[in-house]
Every structure is written in C-alpha cells, then in structure tokens.
C-alpha cells in the first residue's frame, strides 16, 4: 500500500490521522507508529522498548505517546523514554508532509 518515492514512502493522509491515537504502518517489514500533533506528524518505532506492545494501541498526549501495556511513555519527537517503566529510547524516522500526504524515510538518517 505504501508508494515508493526514492527512500521516501507515502504512508498516510494527514486528515486520516487521529491526534489522540497513533496509527500503525508497516514499511519494509518495520513496524512504525505515526503520531499526529497538531498539523505535524512524527514517526517512531511502533514497538515499545519495555516489553512487547504496539504503541499504535496506545494514546498521544502532547508530544508523548503512552504504551497501552504498562503506561510507559516516549517523546514522539526524539524517541526518548519519558515515563516509567520505559528507559530505553525507540527509533524515530524522518517525516515529510506534502499537502495531506505523509511520507516517511526509513533510510540511514534516523537515530538507530
Ligand atoms: S510494554 Fe510498554 S510500558 Fe511495558
């Protein structure tokens, strides 16, 4: 379903993203969560670094996404763990907005 544009993949439409709940997408086998904050979108790994849970089943408050399993949180801008029990950061990916079109780049420029 994603469209190849170089290393950028169109993965969503902005107006389809709920500001309260992340959206999960899979790109080249990577589980990625899209987080809408206002009219900006941030992309992180969709898998919590604490145990196995999908952040797309969690909720967004401000710039923090909360894991549904134990309530830990991450800053969607940096992937840093912000709320316990999470301590290990998660990957973030570059996002590009063109009109309503949301693209992400899973190339070598993220914080892996
Ligand atoms: S699995 Fe996410 S906080 Fe425990």
């Amino acid at each position: 379903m994603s469209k190849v544009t170089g290393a950028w993949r169109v993965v969503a439409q902005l107006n389809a993203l709920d500001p309260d709940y992340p959206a999960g997408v899979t790109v080249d086998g990577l589980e990625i969560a899209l987080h809408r904050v206002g009219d900006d979108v941030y992309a992180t790994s969709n898998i919590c670094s604490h145990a196995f849970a999908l952040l797309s089943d969690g909720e967004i408050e401000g710039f923090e996404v909360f894991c549904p399993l134990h309530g830990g949180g991450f800053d969607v801008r940096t992937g840093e763990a912000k709320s316990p029990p999470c301590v290990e950061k998660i990957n973030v990916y570059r996002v590009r907005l063109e009109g309503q079109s949301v693209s992400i780049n899973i190339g070598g420029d993220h914080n892996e």
Side-chain angles (χ1 to χ4, degrees), residues 2-103:
S2 62
K3 186 170 111 191
V4 176
T5 50
W8 292 91
R9 308 291 210 287
V10 177
V11 290
Q13 295 297 303
L14 179 64
N15 57 13
L17 296 176
D18 189 319
D20 295 324
Y21 300 100
V25 296
T26 303
V27 178
D28 289 351
L30 285 177
E31 300 278 354
I32 291 172
L34 303 174
H35 313 277
R36 178 175 179 175
V37 180
D39 282 337
D40 290 323
V41 177
Y42 301 89
T44 68
S45 168
N46 195 15
I47 299 173
C48 185
S49 61
H50 176 240
F52 187 85
L54 294 177
L55 298 176
S56 56
D57 292 331
E59 295 183 18
I60 304 167
E61 278 182 41
F63 288 102
E64 190 165 355
V65 58
F66 290 92
C67 177
L69 195 51
H70 307 111
F74 302 91
D75 189 315
V76 299
R77 298 166 294 186
T78 62
E80 296 286 348
K82 299 295 279 185
S83 298
C86 301
V87 291
E88 202 177 307
K89 75 187 296 185
I90 55 175
N91 285 340
V92 294
Y93 303 94
R94 290 184 294 164
V95 174
R96 187 167 71 186
L97 281 172
E98 292 171 300
Q100 289 291 312
S101 189
V102 180
S103 303

